Amino acid sequence: MSLLMLAVLGCMTGVTTVVFGFGGGFVVVPLVYHLLISSHSPGEAGHDAAMQIAVGTSTAVMVITASLATFKQRNAGKLVTGYIWPLAGYIALGAVGGAMLGSVMSSDAVRVAFIAYLGLTIADCLLREGFLRTAGQNKGRLHAAPFKGIGIGIVATMLGVGGSVMTVPLLRRSGLSMAQSSALANPLSIPVALTGSLMYGITGQLETQGISSGFLGYIYLPAFALLSVGSLIGVRLALPLAGRMPDRLHARIYILLLVLVGLALAFK
């Protein structure tokens, strides 16, 4: 896969950020992982730390995509702002631990954890009530926000997914629609993106020998630049689509995308 192709696929990142609140992680992580595996040999940092680099690059791209999507959706009045704070603060706290944990794990361990968590999330969405069809009763607040927020921050930053895989089902079960939940996933991904980018940039530089030019710690700068440009275009293209999809169809496509990402990472 060429780096130029990443710019095109970055548009997909922008679209999923707006429509599903993915923040880019579910597109960026598999793309960068396969790019690194195919372009580096075993024993090189780009190969042996491929999953950490994919995750670190994902968090950096999310700074751009989640911030722009949040700004646009806020101006359009699509954010239920009462759900953002203090949950975002607890997510930021957990993100520090998640980045530290992800940086010391092996690349294969992070990959297996990513796939396993996707599987658990898909099963939870399908088997437990409240996701495919919400009761429609807006609770106005989230219970046990500190525990949930820190947990989201740890898992999201370790796997580079921005937290949407956890926040969207959580918000759905709080009575919000898929459109509202997906929109809120973007501001709730910003703490993960900022903290993860900082931590992966530092820990990658300190812990991995052989990181060469083109990398800022675990952040692969050429991929970051091209994906960011493509994703900005995708965000702008997708904004008219936000909130227009029928709620249950929206939830089903969300689950389908999780399945496709899991399959993409399951096969090297």
Side-chain angles (χ1 to χ4, degrees):
M1 182 189 303
S2 69
L3 286 174
L4 289 177
M5 189 65 179
L6 289 180
V8 177
L9 294 173
C11 290
M12 186 190 306
T13 299
V15 172
T16 59
T17 297
V18 172
V19 181
F20 298 99
F22 280 170
F26 286 113
V27 178
V28 173
V29 171
L31 284 177
V32 176
Y33 174 79
H34 284 293
L35 174 64
L36 291 165
I37 289 294
S38 64
S39 60
H40 293 80
S41 301
E44 295 179 347
H47 183 282
D48 294 349
M51 196 63 189
Q52 282 90 342
I53 295 170
V55 170
T57 305
S58 172
T59 60
V61 173
M62 275 191 286
V63 173
I64 307 298
T65 56
S67 297
L68 179 61
T70 297
F71 175 76
K72 294 291 187 180
Q73 290 172 323
R74 178 181 177 277
N75 286 348
K78 295 178 179 178
L79 292 181
V80 186
T81 55
Y83 283 80
I84 296 174
W85 191 261
L87 183 60
Y90 297 127
I91 290 174
L93 183 62
V96 176
M100 294 177 66
L101 182 60
S103 66
V104 300
M105 295 170 64
S106 70
S107 180
D108 281 341
V110 176
R111 174 172 163 269
V112 170
F114 192 107
I115 296 169
Y117 189 77
L118 278 178
L120 290 173
T121 301
I122 292 165
D124 179 71
C125 291
L126 289 173
L127 301 177
R128 192 155 65 100
E129 293 183 2
F131 184 81
L132 283 174
R133 177 177 294 171
T134 181
Q137 297 177 346
N138 192 320
K139 298 178 183 178
R141 60 193 178 98
L142 295 174
H143 297 291
F147 174 77
K148 292 177 180 177
I150 291 172
I152 290 170
I154 291 172
V155 174
T157 313
M158 183 179 72
L159 304 180
V161 295
S164 59
V165 71
M166 304 175 76
T167 56
V168 170
L170 175 65
L171 293 166
R172 281 285 282 172
R173 293 191 172 97
S174 295
L176 299 182
S177 68
M178 274 299 297
Q180 291 171 323
S181 300
S182 298
L184 279 172
N186 288 306
L188 292 174
S189 292
I190 292 175
V192 171
L194 292 172
T195 306
S197 297
L198 178 63
M199 295 296 294
Y200 279 114
I202 294 172
T203 56
Q205 204 68 40
L206 294 175
E207 296 176 5
T208 303
Q209 300 297 319
I211 288 288
S212 59
S213 60
F215 291 88
L216 177 61
Y218 284 131
I219 299 172
Y220 189 21
L221 295 176
F224 163 72
L226 290 167
L227 284 166
S228 294
V229 170
S231 67
L232 291 176
I233 297 171
V235 166
R236 292 183 178 276
L237 291 175
L239 282 170
L241 302 176
R244 294 182 178 272
M245 196 180 304
D247 189 73
R248 196 164 189 188
L249 175 63
H250 199 164
R252 288 176 173 176
I253 295 176
Y254 179 93
I255 295 173
L256 176 62
L257 289 176
L258 295 185
V259 173
L260 293 176
V261 171
L263 291 174
L265 270 180
F267 299 99
K268 289 188 177 182

